[in-house]
Amino acid sequence: MTALRAAPAASPAAAAPAARPPGAAGPLVLGVRHHGPGSARAVRAALEAVRPAAVLIEGPPEADGLVALAGDEDMRPPVALLAHAVDDPGRAAFWPFAGFSPEWVAIRWALDAGAVVRFIDLPAAHTLAADPTWDDGEEADQGERIDPVAELARAAGYDDPERWWEDAVELRGTADPIAPFEALAEAMGALRDAYGDGGRPLDLVREAHMRLRLRAARKEFGDDMAVVCGAWHVPAVGRKTTVAADRALLKGLPKVRTETTWVPWTHRRLARRSGYGAGIDSPGWYGHLFASPDRPVERWMTRVAGLLRAEDRMVSSAHVIEAVRLAETLAVMRGRPLAGLGETTDAVRAVMCDGSDVPLDLVHDRLVVGDVLGEVPAGAPAVPLQRDLARLQRGLRLRPEAQERQLELDLRKENDAARSRMLHRLRLLSVAWGEPVAGRGSTGTFRETWRLSWEPELHVRVAEAGVWGTTLASAATAKAESRALEATALAEVTSLAERCLLAGLSEALPVVMTALADRAALDADVGHLAEALPALARALRYGDVRATDTAALGEVAAGIAERVCVALPPACAGLDTEAATAMRGHLDGVHTALGLLPDAAGLVERWGGVLLRLADRDGVPGEIRGRAARILLDDGRLGEDATARLMSRALSPGTPPADAASWIEGFVGGASGGGMLLVHDARLLGLVDTWLTAVPPRAFTDVLPLLRRTFSAYEPGVRRTLGERVARGPSVGTPARAGAGTAGFAEGLDEARADAVLPVLRLLLGHGEPEGAGR
């Protein structure tokens, strides 16, 4: 352990003599920490010192044929090996590599040196068959696992494993390239003696396969080879066992047919917080340490300053110099060999962020974790659908990015319309690269706003979607047709029709429209019909900018609207509170939808009659009657006097308080602008005030939750104005006096007050102020 403190270089696991000095017998076994820059530098130095003929690496053997792609000039880490089951692409596993991963460094060294590279871990064919879930290629159950780095840190007197690792490996160097691996191997051997498999039962099977692959390689290369694996496995790799014993552990393992390829990865997905089992806390920082061995602290502070300046924060060169000095001072005070992430973070907070964690969070997100997205060569194996998607991305100049961003599209432009179709087709295939969001500009149908974020897992979703077709258009069409035939709910088919129009899937529309007409004809539930109509109405609007033929869709929508107008009044009678609330939502949806239907003047007129019947019908729940009255008032179909009569009747003493409160909720509740209506209509405010003050105490307790929900939805300014107007005087008892009551409005025009503004208007208009100006 003393030797390890002096100069180590790796992570999870190693025991007995792990590395061999030049001239010593046996393969060179290098125990590393996955994604550790110190381990990566040590591996490169050891390989340069020994220069083996073959390098064996922990990874799936199915990827042996893909190793050469790692040397392609278009391959830029972070990347990952992706293996998935051919018959079930959802069963997949990743083996990620960053530029500072020891395994990646070993692969690149071997390719440059002309050495053979082979992977020796348990084949993905067994891994994917044994575990239907996928994550990072590690086992799912980590409940009883030990963390080797944490155990070694605890033995060294550290309470933070990452800090110990930085001190022991990342921030130290050694003249002997083999010594760190020997020290770590000894430490891991002690841990394996104490903890056995460390809560990793599958590791015993994996290590048996590694030993078999190592024996086979020794027959070919002798001892002139190096093994690069997680340090935890080093004691087991060198363990003396029989071939029969190892094969017995592998006997009977399930197996599936797999395909393997390289896919881009991200620093964000390397972070432990993302759920990756072998993740690290600070991939961006580790990448910086690996790429900047010379003056890493100074270079890091310069990068931080550049980021903060880009965000309009005042950061000068003096800040950088002072932050470097503070970080180095903190390292000395804390007894660290060099300033690490903790010291640099504290210095940045104090010097560049004025003690605030807000800009520091930006530094952590952009630099400490990072948003780097790797690239793979175009020649990497891929399912046909993935190749078609890559072609579309290049042609539309819409490359995947790790960092989330918003994309504004103007569908009147050909390129933007094509981008929209691609994103909608991907969503239909459950490849959620983009998510539609509300835009800040125009709300017209010719504009769309998307939130884009590419995650590595989407490669698996694309592979899964490959069963539907070889191109994005054919796959989306096939899935839409299949969903249309399988759908049982009318709303599901209408939503699918809308999505097909958005995605420009004209070939799928005949099947979807047939299914839609069949479901609409068979569905007698007015709630289902009302729920389906808004999606159809929205879809009909897309033809303007997407040049889509929606004639058949219009016929179905008109038929559904007719049936809603006939069936809605009787369906609204006798509903309970929950059903009434749902029906009120349908009422709003249908009203909005009818306004979108082309050539629907007759339907709109008929709908007005339906609303009049609902507003005046006693058997209809108060919430629906109130909402119908409000819609009619807003559309000008119901005058102020008629509206006041309906409210007066709904709030009469003979009406149960709960029913009256429900009517108010329907009339002025939600996002309907009811608060402003009461502010500007003294008579309606007076009626509500009179009713509210007359509610008996016991009944008031029952209606209070509904009233709170109704009025709490108003803007604070609206609530304050209503309170002030009610507080000015006694409640208004009758509509005749409402104009002069609490709301502060006179019944007629006060001409003297109106004339008072005329002199000011003349000045504003440049006519001057004539002497004795009045009227």
Side-chain angles (χ1 to χ4, degrees):
M1 190 67 69
T2 303
L4 188 60
R5 290 185 193 176
S11 137
R20 64 170 175 83
L28 174 68
V29 182
L30 306 176
V32 301
R33 182 183 195 186
H34 304 300
H35 321 307
S39 289
R41 283 194 297 268
V43 164
R44 185 161 55 192
L47 292 176
E48 280 291 339
V50 178
R51 302 195 68 83
V55 179
L56 309 184
I57 297 173
E58 180 184 335
E62 292 94 337
D64 284 351
L66 301 175
V67 169
L69 288 173
D72 193 293
E73 61 180 10
D74 292 330
M75 178 78 85
R76 296 184 179 88
V79 293
L81 286 170
L82 164 63
H84 65 84
V86 173
D87 298 328
D88 183 8
R91 285 189 173 190
F94 293 108
W95 286 263
F97 301 96
F100 51 84
S101 298
E103 298 90 342
W104 180 259
V105 170
I107 291 173
R108 292 302 302 264
W109 180 90
L111 292 175
D112 292 341
V116 175
V117 181
R118 290 178 185 168
F119 291 104
I120 60 172
D121 203 352
L122 188 68
H126 297 309
T127 304
L128 298 178
D131 185 358
T133 64
W134 61 271
D135 46 22
D136 59 330
E138 301 287 343
E139 308 78 62
D141 183 10
Q142 302 181 18
E144 301 299 324
R145 284 186 175 190
I146 69 163
D147 181 349
V149 173
E151 294 297 324
L152 294 177
R154 189 177 299 112
Y158 284 73
D159 58 1
D160 183 354
E162 290 298 321
R163 183 183 172 195
W164 172 82
W165 183 259
E166 276 199 344
D167 287 356
V169 178
E170 307 304 341
L171 303 180
R172 288 187 185 272
T174 175
D176 185 350
I178 307 299
F181 297 105
E182 292 178 331
L184 192 60
E186 181 182 354
M188 289 298 171
L191 287 178
R192 293 295 292 256
D193 289 342
Y195 294 101
D197 63 13
R200 296 171 166 85
L202 185 56
D203 278 359
L204 300 179
V205 179
R206 295 173 59 199
E207 289 160 354
H209 188 269
M210 291 182 193
R211 288 191 293 268
L212 290 174
R213 295 277 290 184
L214 182 58
R215 289 189 185 98
R218 292 186 76 172
K219 292 180 180 179
E220 186 175 353
F221 302 103
D223 290 336
D224 189 15
M225 58 185 180
V227 179
V228 180
C229 62
W232 177 258
H233 303 299
V234 172
V237 169
R239 185 177 301 149
K240 300 297 183 181
T241 62
T242 64
V243 173
D246 288 340
R247 287 179 176 170
L249 288 173
L250 298 171
K251 186 177 181 180
L253 289 179
K255 190 175 183 179
V256 295
R257 194 159 56 96
T258 63
E259 290 181 350
T260 310
T261 187
W262 289 103
V263 296
W265 201 253
T266 67
H267 274 181
R268 209 170 296 279
R269 291 300 296 159
L270 282 172
R272 183 175 287 120
R273 66 177 183 177
S274 71
Y276 169 46
I280 52 180
D281 289 332
S282 49
W285 166 253
Y286 274 7
H288 171 77
L289 288 181
F290 184 73
S292 306
D294 176 45
R295 305 173 71 86
V297 177
E298 291 87 340
R299 297 179 188 277
W300 178 258
M301 292 303 184
T302 303
R303 291 182 62 193
V304 172
L307 172 64
L308 294 178
R309 286 173 189 151
E311 297 296 325
D312 295 329
R313 289 191 64 86
M314 298 296 292
V315 180
S316 67
S317 299
H319 285 93
V320 175
I321 295 171
E322 187 60 31
V324 171
R325 289 175 176 171
L326 179 56
E328 292 174 344
T329 302
L330 289 173
V332 173
M333 294 176 62
R334 296 171 182 176
R336 307 199 66 181
L338 288 173
L341 181 59
E343 287 69 39
T344 57
T345 299
D346 290 343
V348 168
R349 180 191 288 110
V351 178
M352 299 185 188
C353 299
D354 299 323
S356 172
D357 282 340
V358 175
L360 195 65
D361 288 342
L362 178 68
V363 173
H364 182 274
D365 184 65
R366 298 279 185 85
L367 296 182
V368 176
V369 175
D371 51 16
V372 178
L373 175 65
E375 297 181 18
V376 300
V383 296
L385 180 59
Q386 177 66 61
R387 293 190 180 281
D388 184 60
L389 176 58
R391 178 186 61 79
L392 290 172
Q393 290 169 335
R394 290 192 300 270
L396 298 175
R397 299 185 297 281
L398 192 60
R399 296 172 61 86
E401 296 179 8
Q403 187 175 356
E404 183 179 287
R405 70 183 182 99
Q406 281 203 352
L407 176 69
E408 302 284 345
L409 298 178
D410 184 341
L411 302 181
R412 296 169 297 184
K413 300 177 180 178
E414 183 178 350
N415 192 68
D416 281 4
R419 287 177 170 182
S420 173
R421 289 193 295 270
M422 179 182 70
L423 292 171
H424 279 294
R425 289 171 182 178
L426 287 172
R427 277 176 54 82
L428 202 150
L429 291 168
S430 302
V431 181
W433 177 19
E435 177 185 357
V437 294
R440 292 175 295 179
S442 170
T443 57
T445 57
F446 62 87
R447 292 197 182 277
E448 281 185 349
T449 303
W450 290 82
R451 182 184 295 117
L452 301 182
S453 179
W454 183 268
E455 296 290 345
E457 291 87 343
L458 294 180
H459 287 282
V460 177
R461 299 288 173 259
V462 173
E464 288 182 293
V467 301
W468 295 105
T470 57
T471 66
L472 188 57
S474 64
T477 297
K479 186 169 183 180
E481 292 174 346
S482 176
R483 287 186 56 183
L485 296 174
E486 296 173 356
T488 56
L490 177 60
E492 185 180 351
V493 187
T494 55
S495 174
L496 182 61
E498 180 181 15
R499 297 179 70 178
C500 286
L501 288 171
L502 288 167
L505 300 177
S506 56
E507 294 184 6
L509 276 177
V511 176
V512 175
M513 293 307 305
T514 300
L516 177 59
D518 292 344
R519 302 298 185 281
L522 296 174
D523 201 327
D525 190 319
V526 68
H528 293 167
L529 296 172
E531 186 179 5
L533 188 59
L536 292 178
R538 289 193 302 269
L540 284 168
R541 305 291 289 183
Y542 302 144
D544 296 338
V545 292
R546 300 174 191 270
T548 306
D549 184 7
T550 57
L553 197 63
E555 294 178 4
V556 176
I560 291 178
E562 290 280 1
R563 294 175 61 189
V564 168
C565 289
V566 172
L568 190 61
C572 289
L575 297 177
D576 60 19
T577 302
E578 184 177 351
T581 300
M583 191 60 75
R584 172 192 166 185
H586 294 327
L587 208 68
D588 288 335
V590 171
H591 181 71
T592 302
L594 289 176
L596 297 176
L597 293 179
D599 304 324
L603 282 173
V604 172
E605 189 66 29
R606 186 171 181 181
W607 175 246
V610 171
L611 293 175
L612 282 171
R613 291 200 300 275
L614 290 175
D616 201 36
R617 195 167 182 174
D618 291 337
V620 175
E623 186 173 357
I624 296 177
R625 286 187 287 117
R627 188 64 193 140
R630 177 58 191 279
I631 293 174
L632 290 168
L633 175 64
D634 290 344
D635 284 359
R637 294 175 177 272
L638 200 63
E640 294 181 2
D641 291 339
T643 303
R645 283 196 299 271
L646 287 175
M647 178 180 279
S648 179
R649 191 174 74 185
L651 304 183
S652 65
T655 304
D659 291 347
S662 178
W663 194 96
I664 293 175
E665 163 70 9
F667 188 77
V668 296
S672 62
M676 293 303 298
L677 178 66
L678 294 179
V679 166
H680 293 292
D681 195 317
R683 180 160 45 175
L684 296 183
L685 177 59
L687 288 169
V688 174
D689 184 36
T690 300
W691 169 79
L692 190 57
T693 56
V695 174
R698 291 184 179 179
F700 185 81
T701 304
D702 295 333
V703 302
L704 182 59
L706 182 58
L707 293 173
R708 284 177 61 88
R709 186 180 71 187
T710 301
F711 292 102
S712 65
Y714 296 165
E715 294 289 336
V718 173
R719 294 201 302 268
R720 182 172 59 254
T721 302
L722 288 175
E724 291 171 351
R725 295 203 168 186
V726 171
R728 280 185 196 150
S731 300
V732 180
T734 63
R737 290 196 33 145
T742 60
F745 286 98
E747 293 184 1
L749 175 65
D750 187 338
E751 294 187 0
R753 292 181 64 190
D755 287 346
V757 77
L758 293 178
V760 178
L761 286 176
R762 288 192 179 94
L763 288 173
L764 292 174
L765 296 174
H767 297 303
E769 174 62 28
E771 185 177 353
R775 294 194 57 153

